[in-house]
Amino acid sequence: MEDLKNVYISPLPDSPYVKPFRFNYTQNGKEKTWDLLEVHDSVAIVVFNVSRKVMIFVKQFRPAIYYNCIHPDDRELNVIDTNKYPASLGIALEMCAGIIDKNKSVEHIAQEEVLEECGYDVPLEKLQKITSYRSGVGVQGSLQTFFYCEVTDDMKTQQGGGVDDEIIDVVEKTIPEMEEMVNSPGPIPSPPSCLFALMWFLHYKADKYRK
Amino acid sequence: MEDLKNVYISPLPDSPYVKPFRFNYTQNGKEKTWDLLEVHDSVAIVVFNVSRKVMIFVKQFRPAIYYNCIHPDDRELNVIDTNKYPASLGIALEMCAGIIDKNKSVEHIAQEEVLEECGYDVPLEKLQKITSYRSGVGVQGSLQTFFYCEVTDDMKTQQGGGVDDEIIDVVEKTIPEMEEMVNSPGPIPSPPSCLFALMWFLHYKADKYRK
């Protein structure tokens, strides 16, 4: 995962992933604009293994995090120096998640992601829909649906790790390790959706599994 | 806040807010690209009023959320029909927050945002830095620093509501109202950072203020 080379920045071509545009509007009589991005809705799944009382995380290299660790002066270089900026700077710890880019129900997409990323084959009825919220309020306001799913060791039918070019490691954390993670002074290499999921689990579910 | 007119989409010009680009890299021998956005780092502040035991939220119209409520077929129209899509669809409930776009410490920027948005004049030592995390892992990986701040009614020196063109309402919620919010089936018109902050408060702070 941490073998990183030939890193450079180039202009955005016409991209299926990032579609920026300007939103124009008049609010309370004032003309305004806001620059936006069109992104897909998504699912996030909190996967807790009740056989061994561990939370299942996915770990992967995230260019967006790596880029933000590079000093602005060094971003302009032809090639980023990966000795000065090793890949480890961009490794994120997240909940299992995926975008909704297929004509399937959110439940089916969540089920697929748990299998592909984490290797657990879960029946649909084990996926408990908790709520949904906006992924962001600034440049992207897509909807993320949040599921909770308890799994057992015997549901683990494959290794996980993603499909196609994805390079994903499955990581397990005990309840004390989760508490240590959210109580760290940071920077925590995780997005707020992962921290919300962790706090939600610690507050509403963890007590049952502490002993 | 909900007087909305002349809504239309246009191409992104050269924007100081949204700078998209392509990140090119070779990971484990595989050439890859990832499309990204350069965004500012930011602060978010959980402001709890201990005089009346209420959480302070900010409410504002967010184009990114509104846009995502518009059916794809209707997004292409010259002007969006605001009778079909009223402004209320885009109203978000958030924690006090702001971007780091000045050469000041994160603590000073947090202090300024609490005053400008919420109207509370808090001494720096009341701002407790909790942690920091990545705003996102997909297109934006900027750092958000998360503060907790207890305020009293006598610190409220002005109305809040933002500066310049900002149209922001200050909203207060009791602890039972916060619990109702995070337990709603959704869509919750809030970002995950707000939900993380709420769960963090409910888990680590709320008990002290329940009676």
Side-chain angles (χ1 to χ4, degrees), chain B residues 51-200:
Chain B
S51 303
R52 284 174 298 107
K53 295 172 187 160
V54 286
M55 183 66 82
I56 310 298
F57 291 82
V58 293
K59 201 170 113 173
Q60 59 191 309
F61 177 73
R62 290 296 202 170
I65 295 182
Y66 180 81
Y67 177 78
N68 274 276
C69 297
I70 302 171
H71 189 279
D73 295 345
D74 291 342
R75 291 177 185 167
E76 310 297 323
L77 299 174
N78 279 344
V79 176
I80 305 295
D81 180 354
T82 52
N83 290 315
K84 185 168 177 186
Y85 299 109
S88 57
L89 293 171
I91 305 286
L93 205 58
E94 305 165 44
M95 294 292 157
C96 175
I99 57 170
I100 301 177
D101 60 352
K102 296 164 201 150
N103 196 11
K104 291 183 178 177
S105 72
V106 281
E107 288 77 12
H108 277 97
I109 288 176
Q111 185 185 42
E112 245 178 47
E113 291 293 341
V114 175
L115 183 62
E116 288 173 4
E117 292 192 347
C118 308
Y120 290 89
D121 191 6
V122 296
L124 278 182
E125 65 270 18
K126 283 296 235 179
L127 284 160
Q128 188 188 344
K129 190 189 148 191
I130 304 301
T131 191
S132 61
Y133 44 78
R134 295 293 160 183
S135 296
V137 291
V139 290
Q140 60 185 86
S142 56
L143 198 68
Q144 182 162 75
T145 303
F146 168 41
F147 290 91
Y148 176 59
C149 177
E150 294 186 346
V151 299
T152 52
D153 276 342
D154 60 1
M155 290 180 191
K156 180 115 185 180
T157 59
Q158 55 190 65
Q159 191 165 6
V163 291
D164 303 330
D165 276 359
E166 288 182 316
I167 301 173
I168 295 176
D169 281 353
V170 179
V171 172
E172 301 183 341
K173 279 188 187 284
T174 62
I175 293 172
E177 285 168 345
M178 283 184 247
E179 285 170 329
E180 198 183 317
M181 179 176 164
V182 294
N183 283 295
S184 118
I188 305 175
S190 299
S193 55
C194 174
L195 300 178
F196 164 53
L198 274 184
M199 286 310 311
W200 178 89

Side-chain angles (χ1 to χ4, degrees), chain A:
Chain A
M1 183 178 294
E2 301 197 10
D3 170 14
L4 184 67
K5 284 191 196 82
N6 307 328
V7 178
Y8 64 96
I9 306 305
S10 59
L12 186 75
D14 189 30
S15 163
Y17 305 107
V18 167
K19 292 175 193 155
F21 60 91
R22 176 158 284 188
F23 181 90
N24 305 269
Y25 62 116
T26 301
Q27 188 187 13
N28 292 18
K30 284 213 167 198
E31 274 187 46
K32 299 181 173 190
T33 63
W34 194 274
D35 296 336
L36 282 189
L37 215 60
E38 184 165 323
V39 290
H40 286 288
D41 287 344
S42 60
V43 295
I45 312 103
V46 178
V47 181
F48 187 72
N49 180 317
V50 296
S51 304
R52 284 174 299 107
K53 295 172 187 160
V54 286
M55 183 67 81
I56 310 298
F57 292 83
V58 293
K59 201 170 114 174
Q60 60 191 309
F61 176 73
R62 289 297 201 170
I65 294 182
Y66 179 81
Y67 177 79
N68 274 276
C69 297
I70 302 171
H71 189 280
D73 295 345
D74 291 342
R75 290 175 186 168
E76 310 298 323
L77 299 174
N78 278 344
V79 176
I80 305 296
D81 179 355
T82 52
N83 290 315
K84 186 170 176 185
Y85 299 108
S88 57
L89 293 172
I91 305 285
L93 205 58
E94 305 165 45
M95 293 294 157
C96 175
I99 57 171
I100 302 177
D101 60 351
K102 296 164 203 150
N103 195 13
K104 291 184 178 176
S105 72
V106 282
E107 287 76 12
H108 277 97
I109 289 177
Q111 185 186 41
E112 243 178 49
E113 290 294 340
V114 174
L115 183 63
E116 287 173 5
E117 292 194 346
C118 307
Y120 290 90
D121 191 5
V122 296
L124 277 182
E125 64 271 19
K126 283 295 236 179
L127 285 159
Q128 187 187 344
K129 190 189 149 192
I130 304 301
T131 190
S132 61
Y133 44 77
R134 294 292 160 185
S135 296
V137 290
V139 291
Q140 59 185 87
S142 57
L143 198 69
Q144 182 163 74
T145 303
F146 168 42
F147 289 91
Y148 176 60
C149 177
E150 294 185 346
V151 298
T152 52
D153 276 343
D154 60 2
M155 290 180 192
K156 181 116 185 178
T157 58
Q158 55 189 66
Q159 191 163 5
V163 289
D164 302 330
D165 276 0
E166 288 182 317
I167 301 173
I168 295 176
D169 280 354
V170 179
V171 172
E172 300 183 342
K173 278 187 187 285
T174 63
I175 293 172
E177 285 168 344
M178 282 184 246
E179 285 169 328
E180 198 183 316
M181 179 176 164
V182 294
N183 283 293
S184 120
I188 306 175
S190 299
S193 55
C194 174
L195 300 177
F196 164 54
L198 274 185
M199 287 308 312
W200 178 89
F201 176 83
L202 289 173
H203 193 65
Y204 291 118
K205 298 283 176 186
D207 277 351
K208 193 175 154 189
Y209 298 107
R210 275 181 205 276
K211 277 280 157 268

